[in-house]
Amino acid sequence: MDKKEFRQQQIKILGEYADSEQKINEDQALLDSLINTELLKNSRSIGVTSSLSYEVDTAKLIAYLWDLGKEVYLARANNDKEHTQDFVLYNYMTRVSRSKFGVEEVSDPHAKINNELDLLIVPGLAFAEDSHQRLGFGGGYYDRFLAKHTAAKTVALANTKMIFSSAQWEIEATDIPIEMIITPTSILQN
Protein backbone atom coordinates (compact mmCIF):
# COMPACT_ATOMS: atom_id res chain seq x y z
CA MET A 1 0.00 0.00 0.00
CA ASP A 2 1.43 3.40 -0.94
CA LYS A 3 1.56 6.38 1.41
CA LYS A 4 -1.50 8.07 -0.08
CA GLU A 5 -3.62 4.91 0.26
CA PHE A 6 -2.39 4.32 3.81
CA ARG A 7 -3.24 7.93 4.70
CA GLN A 8 -6.79 7.51 3.35
CA GLN A 9 -7.19 4.24 5.24
CA GLN A 10 -6.05 5.91 8.48
CA ILE A 11 -8.46 8.82 8.01
CA LYS A 12 -11.30 6.31 7.58
CA ILE A 13 -10.28 4.29 10.66
CA LEU A 14 -9.83 7.41 12.78
CA GLY A 15 -13.13 8.85 11.54
CA GLU A 16 -14.97 5.70 12.66
CA TYR A 17 -13.20 5.90 16.03
CA ALA A 18 -13.82 9.64 16.51
CA ASP A 19 -16.98 9.54 18.60
CA SER A 20 -16.25 6.41 20.60
CA GLU A 21 -16.10 6.39 24.37
CA GLN A 22 -12.67 4.75 24.15
CA LYS A 23 -11.27 7.66 22.10
CA ILE A 24 -12.67 10.20 24.57
CA ASN A 25 -11.04 8.29 27.45
CA GLU A 26 -7.76 7.92 25.58
CA ASP A 27 -7.69 11.63 24.70
CA GLN A 28 -8.02 12.42 28.41
CA ALA A 29 -5.29 9.90 29.32
CA LEU A 30 -2.97 11.46 26.71
CA LEU A 31 -3.64 14.93 28.08
CA ASP A 32 -3.04 13.76 31.66
CA SER A 33 0.28 12.16 30.64
CA LEU A 34 1.46 15.26 28.78
CA ILE A 35 0.50 17.53 31.68
CA ASN A 36 2.73 15.52 34.01
CA THR A 37 5.86 15.67 31.83
CA GLU A 38 8.82 17.85 32.74
CA LEU A 39 8.91 18.80 29.07
CA LEU A 40 5.58 20.61 29.35
CA LYS A 41 6.35 22.05 32.78
CA ASN A 42 9.62 23.54 31.47
CA SER A 43 8.13 24.98 28.28
CA ARG A 44 6.87 28.55 28.09
CA SER A 45 5.89 28.85 24.40
CA ILE A 46 3.94 25.95 22.96
CA GLY A 47 2.82 25.39 19.38
CA VAL A 48 -0.29 23.35 18.72
CA THR A 49 -2.81 22.71 15.98
CA SER A 50 -6.55 23.06 16.38
CA SER A 51 -7.64 19.45 16.02
CA LEU A 52 -10.11 17.88 13.62
CA SER A 53 -12.74 15.50 15.06
CA TYR A 54 -10.73 12.37 14.24
CA GLU A 55 -7.50 13.70 15.77
CA VAL A 56 -6.59 13.74 19.45
CA ASP A 57 -8.64 16.59 20.87
CA THR A 58 -6.48 19.64 21.61
CA ALA A 59 -9.25 21.93 22.93
CA LYS A 60 -8.84 20.87 26.58
CA LEU A 61 -5.07 21.02 26.23
CA ILE A 62 -5.19 24.59 24.94
CA ALA A 63 -7.50 25.67 27.80
CA TYR A 64 -5.20 23.98 30.32
CA LEU A 65 -2.14 25.72 28.86
CA TRP A 66 -3.90 29.08 29.16
CA ASP A 67 -4.74 28.28 32.81
CA LEU A 68 -1.04 27.61 33.41
CA GLY A 69 -0.11 30.96 31.89
CA LYS A 70 1.70 29.38 28.94
CA GLU A 71 1.96 31.17 25.61
CA VAL A 72 -0.06 29.18 23.08
CA TYR A 73 0.68 29.50 19.38
CA LEU A 74 -1.71 28.03 16.85
CA ALA A 75 -0.43 26.67 13.53
CA ARG A 76 -1.36 28.71 10.46
CA ALA A 77 -0.56 27.50 6.95
CA ASN A 78 0.85 30.16 4.67
CA ASN A 79 -0.56 30.70 1.22
CA ASP A 80 2.68 29.93 -0.60
CA LYS A 81 4.07 27.35 -3.00
CA GLU A 82 6.59 26.10 -0.43
CA HIS A 83 3.89 24.84 1.97
CA THR A 84 5.24 26.74 4.97
CA GLN A 85 3.48 27.52 8.21
CA ASP A 86 3.85 29.87 11.13
CA PHE A 87 2.76 29.67 14.74
CA VAL A 88 0.54 32.58 15.74
CA LEU A 89 -0.25 33.77 19.27
CA TYR A 90 -3.60 32.40 20.37
CA ASN A 91 -5.65 33.28 23.44
CA TYR A 92 -9.33 33.20 24.38
CA MET A 93 -9.90 36.61 22.71
CA THR A 94 -8.34 35.64 19.37
CA ARG A 95 -10.56 35.48 16.31
CA VAL A 96 -10.23 32.32 14.28
CA SER A 97 -11.51 31.12 10.95
CA ARG A 98 -11.55 27.76 9.19
CA SER A 99 -8.64 27.10 6.86
CA LYS A 100 -8.82 25.26 3.55
CA PHE A 101 -7.88 22.15 5.58
CA GLY A 102 -10.90 22.58 7.88
CA VAL A 103 -8.92 23.52 10.99
CA GLU A 104 -9.24 26.71 12.97
CA GLU A 105 -6.46 29.23 12.41
CA VAL A 106 -5.86 32.73 13.75
CA SER A 107 -7.48 35.10 11.25
CA ASP A 108 -5.66 38.31 12.22
CA PRO A 109 -2.88 38.77 9.62
CA HIS A 110 -0.97 41.01 12.07
CA ALA A 111 -1.03 38.65 15.05
CA LYS A 112 2.27 37.88 16.75
CA ILE A 113 4.25 35.04 15.15
CA ASN A 114 6.70 32.92 17.13
CA ASN A 115 8.46 30.14 15.26
CA GLU A 116 11.15 29.69 17.92
CA LEU A 117 8.96 27.68 20.27
CA ASP A 118 9.99 25.70 23.34
CA LEU A 119 7.61 22.84 22.54
CA LEU A 120 5.70 21.77 19.46
CA ILE A 121 2.82 19.32 19.71
CA VAL A 122 2.91 17.65 16.31
CA PRO A 123 -0.26 16.17 14.83
CA GLY A 124 -0.39 13.08 12.67
CA LEU A 125 -2.41 10.15 11.44
CA ALA A 126 0.03 7.40 12.43
CA PHE A 127 3.22 7.06 14.47
CA ALA A 128 5.89 4.34 14.53
CA GLU A 129 7.04 3.24 17.99
CA ASP A 130 10.47 2.05 16.85
CA SER A 131 11.58 4.94 14.62
CA HIS A 132 9.33 7.76 15.92
CA GLN A 133 8.33 8.50 12.34
CA ARG A 134 4.93 10.04 11.69
CA LEU A 135 2.48 9.96 8.87
CA GLY A 136 1.14 13.45 8.39
CA PHE A 137 -1.57 14.81 6.17
CA GLY A 138 0.52 14.99 3.01
CA GLY A 139 1.45 18.65 2.71
CA GLY A 140 4.88 18.47 4.36
CA TYR A 141 4.15 21.56 6.47
CA TYR A 142 5.51 20.14 9.73
CA ASP A 143 8.58 18.48 8.23
CA ARG A 144 9.54 21.74 6.50
CA PHE A 145 8.96 23.68 9.71
CA LEU A 146 10.99 21.25 11.83
CA ALA A 147 13.85 21.21 9.32
CA LYS A 148 14.12 25.00 9.60
CA HIS A 149 13.28 25.51 13.29
CA THR A 150 15.30 22.92 15.16
CA ALA A 151 15.18 24.32 18.71
CA ALA A 152 11.64 23.23 19.58
CA LYS A 153 11.19 19.93 21.37
CA THR A 154 8.58 17.76 19.67
CA VAL A 155 5.87 15.60 21.16
CA ALA A 156 2.98 13.73 19.59
CA LEU A 157 -0.19 12.46 21.22
CA ALA A 158 -1.18 9.12 19.70
CA ASN A 159 -4.24 7.07 20.53
CA THR A 160 -4.33 3.29 19.99
CA LYS A 161 -5.55 3.64 16.40
CA MET A 162 -2.58 5.88 15.54
CA ILE A 163 0.26 3.81 16.96
CA PHE A 164 2.18 1.15 15.00
CA SER A 165 5.18 -0.90 16.13
CA SER A 166 6.98 0.17 12.93
CA ALA A 167 6.10 2.39 9.98
CA GLN A 168 3.60 0.78 7.62
CA TRP A 169 4.12 3.66 5.21
CA GLU A 170 7.04 4.82 3.10
CA ILE A 171 9.59 6.96 4.95
CA GLU A 172 11.10 9.78 2.92
CA ALA A 173 14.45 11.51 3.48
CA THR A 174 12.64 14.73 4.45
CA ASP A 175 10.52 13.05 7.17
CA ILE A 176 11.61 14.17 10.65
CA PRO A 177 11.07 11.84 13.61
CA ILE A 178 9.23 13.04 16.72
CA GLU A 179 11.25 13.15 19.95
CA MET A 180 8.49 12.00 22.32
CA ILE A 181 5.35 10.03 21.53
CA ILE A 182 2.75 9.77 24.25
CA THR A 183 0.39 6.80 23.94
CA PRO A 184 -2.45 5.86 26.30
CA THR A 185 -0.11 3.43 28.09
CA SER A 186 3.42 4.79 27.70
CA ILE A 187 5.75 7.66 26.91
CA LEU A 188 8.23 6.82 24.16
CA GLN A 189 11.45 8.84 24.08
CA ASN A 190 13.62 9.04 20.97
Side-chain angles (χ1 to χ4, degrees), residues 114-185:
N114 181 3
N115 290 333
E116 302 306 321
L117 303 162
D118 296 329
L119 177 63
L120 184 57
I121 299 165
V122 184
L125 297 169
F127 300 90
E129 290 177 310
D130 60 353
S131 63
H132 283 238
Q133 289 289 341
R134 67 181 269 279
L135 176 69
F137 295 87
Y141 289 88
Y142 274 86
D143 289 318
R144 281 184 196 83
F145 184 88
L146 292 171
K148 186 175 179 183
H149 304 281
T150 58
K153 300 291 184 193
T154 57
V155 64
L157 304 174
N159 65 40
T160 54
K161 301 294 184 183
M162 295 176 169
I163 203 77
F164 293 81
S165 58
S166 61
Q168 307 296 306
W169 56 93
E170 178 188 352
I171 304 300
E172 298 172 24
T174 55
D175 292 346
I176 297 179
I178 304 303
E179 293 169 302
M180 178 188 287
I181 300 173
I182 299 176
T183 75
T185 58

Side-chain angles (χ1 to χ4, degrees), residues 25-37 40 157 182 187:
N25 292 336
E26 285 185 4
D27 284 1
Q28 187 62 52
L30 295 169
L31 175 61
D32 293 343
S33 292
L34 176 62
I35 286 168
N36 291 313
T37 64
L40 182 73
L157 304 174
I182 299 176
I187 295 178

